[in-house]
Amino acid sequence: MVKEKGSDLTLGFLPRPTQKRKQFEDLVRRVRWNKGVWVKYARWEESQEGFDRARSVWERALKIFEREPTMWLNYAEVEMKNKFIDHARNVWDRAVTILPRIDQLWYKYIHMEEMLGNVPGARQVFERWMSWQPDQQGWLSYIKFELRYNEVDRARALFERFVQCHVKVSAWICFAKFEMKNGEISRARNCYERAVDKLADDEEAEHLFVAFAEFEEMCKESGRARCIYKFALDHIPKIQAEDLYKKYVAFEKQYGDKDGIEDAIVGKRRFQYEDEVHKNPHNYDAWFDYIRLEESVGVKERIRDVYERAIANVPLAEEKRYWQRYIYLWINYALYEELDAHDLEHTREVYRECLKLIRHKKFSFAKIWLLAAQFEIRQFRLDAARSILGTAIGMAPKDKVFKKYIEIELHLGNIDRCRILYEKYLQWSPENCYAWTKFAELEKSLDETERTRAVFELAIDQVALDMPELLWKAYIDFEISEGEYERTRALYERLLNRTKHLKVWISYAKFEASVADLEGQEVIPEQKEEGLHRVRGVFERALSYYRTSAPELKEERAMLLEEWLNMETSFGDAGLVRSKLPMKLKKRRQIETEDGPAGYEEYIDYLFPEETRTRNLKILETAHNWKKKQRASFC
């Protein structure tokens, strides 16, 4: 007899089923933890119609894999397939006892009983399962089972147990829909009301309110639905009510009028802003948006309430940058009270409280002082406006306050007050060239020449000035306009004692040219010659300064010569200046950084004629010295 490959020598003498069984036994001894081997062994015994042997194999396997649902499922299916119902029922009973949390075992057990027509038995299995409080799907399966046999009362009782076991929105909605499907409208409404009582503060309450409102819509109770939506919007956190808002707006579009639709949209935005300002009360941009929304609606009480709540959120840090956005809440509030609400006393109170709140010793806002004063002017209360601006100057002086106060008094023609204000302005900020210039312009406009000159003299004698070039220019222009050329020359000389800037030299030369009227108009030759002499004298002095005192300022010296050349060209005699013009040389120099050299850059250098001659003399001297050394070496 031919032996099978891999078998023992003695297997060749055994009957074939016994031989196969021997192989399976050897295999399960070697790999007893392999579930597939046990399943194949049991099914082979089943194929040989050795049901007792198959059961023995399954039982042996279950001792090892008692917690494996697939082993129980396969075992029970074998018993059912071969119509051993009692054995199958026994297997299912043991399976659900050992693994009560495996839903598939319960479903299979119940399905078998139902297929056998054993409805009480299936119900009994369901009851055993429900004692373990399974998930929602298990309860719903039991309810569907009862409904398949038209046991509506049993199903309703199950729903009552279901919502007690799973106190969730979805469970109550299913219960209500069940009642609605059976035509029990009052029962369905009662389900929703009970659910609202228990779950109004739940995280999923939004879905409950939406379902309740849609139910009332189906029942043609639009008034009830509207009340539900409004109740929900008042109780649900705004961040969780997005779908609710959409449903409410859609509902109002379908059942409401224009006012209702607008109210729904405004309500949605209002709750969004409420949520934003609740999260961050110092988000002033959100407050501005909220205020604009309320102003568009136009309810005065709401607008004032939002303004009051907004301005109550004072910045925590006493730094101006944190107050800059906040202060506009007060400004908008005051403007609203004046222009829209027409409540002048309340407007005045808003300005007063705002000015009290600002930390004027650390920082202030000129804008709020000026707005308060302008408000009083519009009410024809000049004394009150002057009081506000005077207080501003005393507590928190600022350029804008001084300028506006002076402008107001100037429009009213109070010159003495303007002078007093300029004096206070300059006492507070003596380096402010703008204030000095405007003070002088005021005196000039009044034809007070000596006063104007005195103001300019006081100004240029200040130790520090923020923009001295503008002040000197204004003083020089004033003297020129008065025809005081000698005084103007004296000013230029005084200015040159302070600074030798290129622009001063050029301006001085142009002044001399304009005085002599050297731009082509007919003048006396002697005057023209004298004016030309003065112009050239200025340029010669400037050139001498750059040549001797500031030789490093080559570019300024070159620009001076270019300006001189242009002016001499207009005179008709530019040859002398051309001989002094430098040569432009393009050179390279190394760029030095903290980390060392970093490449090269090109720059323009200037080589003046006297430097060329000096360079040539140095070359000749070097050659002469070399020649002397050569002669000495030959000797």
Side-chain angles (χ1 to χ4, degrees):
M1 182 180 292
V2 179
K3 293 183 287 185
E4 290 183 11
K5 185 177 180 181
S7 64
D8 295 331
L9 293 175
T10 56
L11 291 181
F13 302 98
L14 296 175
R16 188 172 181 83
T18 306
Q19 180 181 344
K20 186 71 172 177
R21 188 174 293 112
K22 178 64 175 175
Q23 290 176 357
F24 272 118
E25 287 292 339
D26 293 340
L27 195 58
V28 296
R29 277 197 299 271
R30 289 199 305 270
V31 288
R32 65 192 302 265
W33 297 106
N34 190 327
K35 292 184 286 185
V37 173
W38 287 101
V39 172
K40 288 181 181 178
Y41 187 10
R43 286 180 176 171
W44 179 79
E45 292 289 2
E46 177 194 358
S47 67
Q48 300 297 316
E49 296 185 357
F51 299 112
D52 290 335
R53 288 181 177 275
R55 287 190 189 98
S56 176
V57 173
W58 284 116
E59 293 295 338
R60 289 164 60 194
L62 286 174
K63 289 180 180 179
I64 302 171
F65 304 107
E66 187 180 40
R67 311 298 298 181
E68 289 291 335
T70 54
M71 296 299 291
W72 291 101
L73 289 169
N74 289 327
Y75 186 9
E77 286 175 358
V78 168
E79 296 290 5
M80 289 191 298
K81 183 172 66 175
N82 292 285
K83 299 182 180 180
F84 296 114
I85 303 303
D86 290 336
H87 285 285
R89 189 175 283 125
N90 180 47
V91 172
W92 288 125
D93 187 73
R94 291 164 58 200
V96 297
T97 302
I98 295 171
L99 300 172
R101 295 297 179 186
I102 306 301
D103 293 348
Q104 190 177 11
L105 298 175
W106 291 104
Y107 284 124
K108 290 285 187 180
Y109 190 4
I110 293 164
H111 180 70
M112 183 193 76
E113 296 292 358
E114 194 171 2
M115 289 298 99
L116 294 172
N118 186 12
V119 175
R123 185 177 289 118
Q124 185 179 7
V125 176
F126 264 123
E127 287 295 334
R128 287 179 61 191
W129 188 13
M130 295 306 108
S131 66
W132 288 96
Q133 296 185 348
D135 60 9
Q136 293 190 35
Q137 192 56 47
W139 286 94
L140 294 175
S141 298
Y142 190 6
I143 292 167
K144 289 178 181 177
F145 165 79
E146 295 293 359
L147 292 175
R148 280 198 295 271
Y149 299 101
N150 296 321
E151 295 287 348
V152 177
D153 291 335
R154 285 181 178 272
R156 184 174 290 115
L158 282 174
F159 264 118
E160 290 289 348
R161 293 165 59 192
F162 173 36
V163 296
Q164 295 299 322
C165 178
H166 294 280
V167 188
K168 294 182 178 180
V169 168
S170 56
W172 282 101
I173 292 175
C174 287
F175 190 5
K177 287 183 177 179
F178 158 76
E179 297 290 3
M180 184 66 181
K181 188 175 181 181
N182 288 281
E184 298 287 345
I185 294 176
S186 59
R187 286 179 180 271
R189 183 175 289 118
N190 179 258
C191 289
Y192 280 119
E193 290 172 353
R194 289 164 60 195
V196 169
D197 290 338
K198 292 184 178 182
L199 302 172
D201 298 326
D202 191 80
E203 292 181 357
E204 298 183 353
E206 178 188 14
H207 303 298
L208 174 62
F209 285 113
V210 169
F212 194 3
E214 290 177 346
F215 161 76
E216 296 293 355
E217 286 184 58
M218 292 174 60
C219 298
K220 309 298 181 184
E221 295 285 351
S222 58
R224 285 177 176 269
R226 184 175 288 106
C227 291
I228 292 167
Y229 278 123
K230 290 184 177 181
F231 177 83
L233 292 173
D234 289 336
H235 286 79
I236 295 179
K238 313 307 175 293
I239 196 171
Q240 301 176 8
E242 183 178 355
D243 187 50
L244 184 66
Y245 283 124
K246 292 179 181 178
K247 296 286 186 181
Y248 181 39
V249 172
F251 168 80
E252 289 293 351
K253 287 180 179 178
Q254 184 174 359
Y255 297 100
D257 53 10
K258 181 180 178 181
D259 293 336
I261 296 171
E262 290 180 354
D263 183 62
I265 295 172
V266 169
K268 177 179 178 180
R269 293 174 59 194
R270 181 180 290 125
F271 283 112
Q272 289 174 346
Y273 292 137
E274 283 286 350
D275 187 60
E276 288 184 28
V277 298
H278 177 72
K279 290 179 181 176
N280 183 9
H282 294 90
N283 183 0
Y284 300 121
D285 289 329
W287 283 111
F288 280 118
D289 294 337
Y290 194 1
I291 290 166
R292 280 194 289 270
L293 172 66
E294 295 297 350
E295 287 180 343
S296 67
V297 176
V299 180
K300 188 182 295 184
E301 289 74 15
R302 278 186 174 273
I303 297 170
R304 281 180 174 163
D305 177 64
V306 177
Y307 268 121
E308 291 293 338
R309 290 168 57 201
I311 61 179
N313 298 291
V314 181
L316 302 177
E318 293 189 357
E319 295 181 29
K320 187 171 183 177
R321 59 194 180 98
Y322 295 111
W323 285 65
Q324 286 175 335
R325 194 70 175 143
Y326 168 73
I327 208 68
Y328 276 94
L329 288 170
W330 286 94
I331 292 172
N332 287 4
Y333 190 11
L335 294 176
Y336 165 76
E337 292 292 348
E338 180 186 0
L339 303 177
D340 295 339
H342 304 290
D343 191 336
L344 302 181
E345 280 303 319
H346 201 183
T347 305
R348 190 171 289 113
E349 184 65 24
V350 170
Y351 281 123
R352 190 180 300 117
E353 292 300 321
C354 179
L355 291 172
K356 286 181 182 177
L357 185 66
I358 298 171
R359 317 300 196 254
H360 296 291
K361 292 184 178 180
K362 294 186 176 181
F363 57 86
S364 188
F365 294 92
K367 191 175 187 68
I368 196 70
W369 289 105
L370 295 176
L371 286 172
Q374 288 167 347
F375 164 73
E376 297 295 354
I377 291 171
R378 287 193 293 272
Q379 309 308 315
F380 303 103
R381 299 182 64 196
L382 294 179
D383 291 338
R386 286 192 179 108
S387 175
I388 291 170
L389 293 173
T391 305
I393 290 172
M395 293 180 64
K398 283 183 170 291
D399 286 320
K400 288 182 180 179
V401 176
F402 277 110
K403 290 175 185 178
K404 195 66 180 178
Y405 197 178
I406 291 168
E407 180 185 341
I408 292 169
E409 295 294 355
L410 192 59
H411 284 169
L412 296 172
N414 296 323
I415 303 302
D416 291 336
R417 285 183 178 272
C418 292
R419 285 174 176 152
I420 294 171
L421 287 172
Y422 270 121
E423 290 173 5
K424 291 184 178 296
Y425 192 0
L426 292 168
Q427 287 174 4
W428 171 68
S429 179
E431 76 284 352
N432 193 327
C433 289
Y434 171 85
W436 286 107
T437 304
K438 287 295 181 181
F439 193 6
E441 287 178 2
L442 172 65
E443 297 295 354
K444 181 183 176 183
S445 66
L446 299 171
D447 293 329
E448 295 284 354
T449 305
E450 292 304 320
R451 280 181 174 272
T452 306
R453 191 171 285 121
V455 171
F456 276 124
E457 286 294 334
L458 285 171
I460 63 177
D461 287 340
Q462 298 300 314
V463 177
L465 293 170
D466 55 359
M467 300 178 71
E469 64 277 5
L470 296 182
L471 183 64
W472 280 93
K473 183 179 183 304
Y475 194 3
I476 290 168
D477 290 342
F478 164 72
E479 295 293 3
I480 292 173
S481 66
E482 294 292 322
E484 297 286 348
Y485 301 130
E486 290 303 325
R487 287 183 178 273
T488 305
R489 288 189 184 97
L491 280 176
Y492 271 117
E493 292 298 334
R494 291 166 65 184
L495 181 56
L496 286 171
N497 290 332
R498 298 193 180 195
T499 177
K500 298 293 193 299
H501 196 278
L502 174 64
K503 289 184 178 181
V504 177
W505 291 108
I506 294 174
S507 176
Y508 192 4
K510 287 182 177 180
F511 159 71
E512 292 293 0
S514 64
V515 171
D517 197 14
L518 300 178
E519 298 180 357
Q521 297 182 9
E522 293 185 5
V523 294
I524 301 172
E526 290 78 7
Q527 291 180 346
K528 182 174 181 179
E529 188 64 30
E530 183 183 355
L532 181 58
H533 178 70
R534 286 181 181 277
V535 173
R536 287 173 176 164
V538 174
F539 278 118
E540 287 290 351
R541 288 170 60 194
L543 192 60
S544 175
Y545 165 74
Y546 284 117
R547 186 186 298 119
T548 58
S549 301
E552 71 279 0
L553 302 177
K554 291 184 176 182
E555 187 174 359
E556 285 79 357
R557 185 178 168 188
M559 292 171 65
L560 179 72
L561 288 169
E562 289 288 343
E563 189 66 33
W564 191 3
L565 177 63
N566 293 335
M567 199 168 289
E568 289 287 357
T569 303
S570 65
F571 301 158
D573 184 11
L576 178 63
V577 181
R578 283 199 180 92
S579 64
K580 298 180 180 182
L581 290 175
M583 293 175 57
K584 288 185 179 181
L585 303 176
K586 188 179 288 186
K587 293 185 178 182
R588 297 176 67 202
R589 60 188 170 196
Q590 196 170 36
I591 302 172
E592 295 293 337
T593 62
E594 294 180 357
D595 299 330
Y600 293 86
E601 65 175 355
E602 290 186 350
Y603 70 100
I604 300 297
D605 196 10
Y606 297 91
L607 184 64
F608 292 91
E610 62 271 18
E611 293 177 347
T612 306
R613 287 194 294 271
T614 304
R615 180 180 293 183
N616 291 337
L617 289 173
K618 287 183 178 180
I619 292 172
L620 289 173
E621 185 180 354
T622 304
H624 181 68
N625 291 335
W626 178 79
K627 189 74 176 283
K628 286 176 66 178
K629 287 181 181 179
Q630 288 293 324
R631 286 177 181 176
S633 63
F634 282 126
C635 294

